[in-house]
Amino acid sequence: MARIRTIKPEFWLDEDLSELSAEEHLFAAALLNHCDDEGYFKSNPKLLHAQIFALRELSGTVPVFVQTLGKIGYLRVFQGSDGKGYGQVVNFNKHQSINKAKPSKIKPLEVVRDQS
């Protein structure tokens, strides 16, 4: 479910985000509305397109936007223990201040891989 979020002015001055297309930058901002209070979101491209660009034709695609934002370290995606795709805005707290945060329901689904 989308949440009311404010965007800090520094977001628009982020050098990495400012190198992206206007659609990708808008996607990064809009994604903040669809994250839970810890920055996690469902990464299904069809859901993201419907939630963020419901009435728009795009020059790019949501999977490419997600990939591009991953390359600059804005977000990361993973497969949950339920087999579905999820993501996390890496520095969510840099962009958002949450009062009375609720624990993420997605975070426990993340499978931690053995690093050895």
Side-chain angles (χ1 to χ4, degrees):
M1 178 168 75
R3 290 160 175 79
I4 296 172
R5 303 278 193 214
T6 58
I7 298 174
K8 296 178 182 178
E10 297 84 21
F11 177 89
W12 303 108
L13 299 174
D14 183 282
E15 291 180 15
D16 291 330
L17 290 172
S18 295
E19 292 292 322
L20 304 178
S21 71
E23 281 182 341
E24 291 166 329
H25 201 168
L26 179 61
F27 180 76
L31 191 57
L32 297 173
N33 288 103
H34 298 284
C35 289
D36 65 21
D37 291 345
E38 293 187 59
Y40 288 89
F41 60 94
K42 293 179 180 181
S43 67
N44 180 311
K46 290 180 181 180
L47 289 175
L48 291 172
H49 188 278
Q51 292 169 331
I52 296 173
F53 296 115
L55 302 174
R56 296 189 180 268
E57 295 290 327
L58 302 174
S59 60
T61 66
V62 169
V64 171
F65 296 167
V66 169
Q67 183 180 31
T68 301
L69 291 172
K71 284 181 182 176
I72 66 166
Y74 180 79
L75 61 79
R76 63 186 189 82
V77 293
F78 59 92
Q79 185 173 356
S81 58
D82 60 358
K84 296 180 182 177
Y86 298 99
Q88 181 188 27
V89 173
V90 175
N91 291 316
F92 182 76
N93 292 329
K94 174 182 169 184
H95 303 293
Q96 297 292 297
S97 298
I98 306 297
N99 295 325
K100 301 178 184 174
K102 295 178 183 158
S104 175
K105 293 180 182 178
I106 296 173
K107 186 176 182 177
L109 297 173
E110 187 171 357
V111 177
V112 179
R113 305 236 188 274
D114 185 8
Q115 299 297 322
S116 50

